[in-house]
Amino acid sequence: MRRRLLPLLVVLSLFVADALGACAEVDSMTEAVAGENFYLGCISCKRREEVSARTTVDWHFRPQGEPEFRHIFHYEHPTADVLHEDFSGRLEWQGTNHEDIQIGAVTLRNVTFNDTGAYLCTFHRTLLLQVRNEKVTVKKVVELSVVAVANRELTAVIAEIMMFVLIVVLQLWLIVVLAYCYKKISADHERREAKKALKAQEQALLESKDDCDVHLE
């Protein structure tokens, strides 16, 4: 469930950053499934939204068990360059689509077990100030593991349990409502029958009185 929610959260962050000037940092997921696509999230919010900036983003990859990072991706609006043959045709820019970048995410397509390792996301940001420009570098690391089958996360299990409990509660509530309605209908029926019986008795008394009056005459 969290895997499904993360792209939505990042898309919402992108919309907010573009439309309202706000930014919310969301950590990337760290578990990918072999053969599927994976969203490598990376967000760096500016401290002062009113200041314009020019930013470039670089991604580096260090395979599991190796000491050195290798440069695999560079983005400078509007150009995205894949710099390593192992990732050729497999990395797609999913970040901010203008120079003032706050979302530096990429999609890694057709994940393999060889993609296990550390991914370093680096923002090179130049703040365009009135006096003089200021350069800021922000780095974030995503430790990625690749599995054959997606693990069921605790949130998904809890959601299923809550759904089961909700269904049971709704069924019990329906039974109570049906019992109440049946009882009310039965009571109304008994009252109607009692009124009919009372009217029949009153009619019988009136007829008896009329007979008595006839005989007396």
Side-chain angles (χ1 to χ4, degrees), residues 128-144:
L128 306 178
L129 304 176
Q130 291 183 352
V131 179
R132 63 184 180 86
N133 296 340
E134 179 180 346
K135 295 184 180 297
V136 178
T137 300
V138 177
K139 296 185 178 183
K140 295 177 178 287
V141 176
V142 179
E143 294 286 348
L144 182 64

Side-chain angles (χ1 to χ4, degrees), residues 25-42:
E25 297 193 8
V26 181
D27 291 336
S28 175
M29 294 293 294
T30 58
E31 183 181 281
V33 179
E36 297 185 4
N37 298 337
F38 182 77
Y39 190 96
L40 278 166
C42 184

Side-chain angles (χ1 to χ4, degrees), residues 14 47 52 71 100 108 138 161 163 171-172 187 196 198:
L14 177 59
R47 302 307 176 192
S52 299
H71 198 181
D100 195 353
L108 175 60
V138 177
I161 294 174
M163 182 63 69
Q171 288 178 340
L172 293 176
K196 288 181 181 180
L198 182 59

Side-chain angles (χ1 to χ4, degrees), residues 70-139:
R70 55 187 69 167
H71 198 181
I72 62 174
F73 185 85
H74 175 77
Y75 182 83
E76 183 172 358
H77 183 74
T79 304
D81 295 314
V82 179
L83 305 177
H84 196 281
E85 59 182 7
D86 290 348
F87 294 89
S88 178
R90 299 177 58 220
L91 288 175
E92 181 179 338
W93 178 251
Q94 297 292 337
T96 308
N97 288 316
H98 54 71
E99 290 184 345
D100 195 353
I101 301 170
Q102 298 190 65
I103 300 177
V106 293
T107 293
L108 175 60
R109 300 194 176 279
N110 191 23
V111 174
T112 70
F113 289 101
N114 291 331
D115 295 326
T116 300
Y119 290 80
L120 174 64
C121 170
T122 306
F123 288 81
H124 300 282
R125 178 174 291 138
T126 301
L127 300 174
L128 306 178
L129 304 176
Q130 291 183 352
V131 179
R132 63 184 180 86
N133 296 340
E134 179 180 346
K135 295 184 180 297
V136 178
T137 300
V138 177
K139 296 185 178 183

Side-chain angles (χ1 to χ4, degrees), residues 3 7 40 53 64 66 69 74 87 89 112 121 143 156 182 191-192 194 204 211 217:
R3 184 187 304 279
L40 278 166
Q64 188 177 34
E66 295 189 13
F69 278 96
H74 175 77
F87 294 89
T112 70
C121 170
E143 294 286 348
Y182 176 78
R191 282 195 298 270
R192 287 195 298 269
D211 290 341
E217 292 177 354

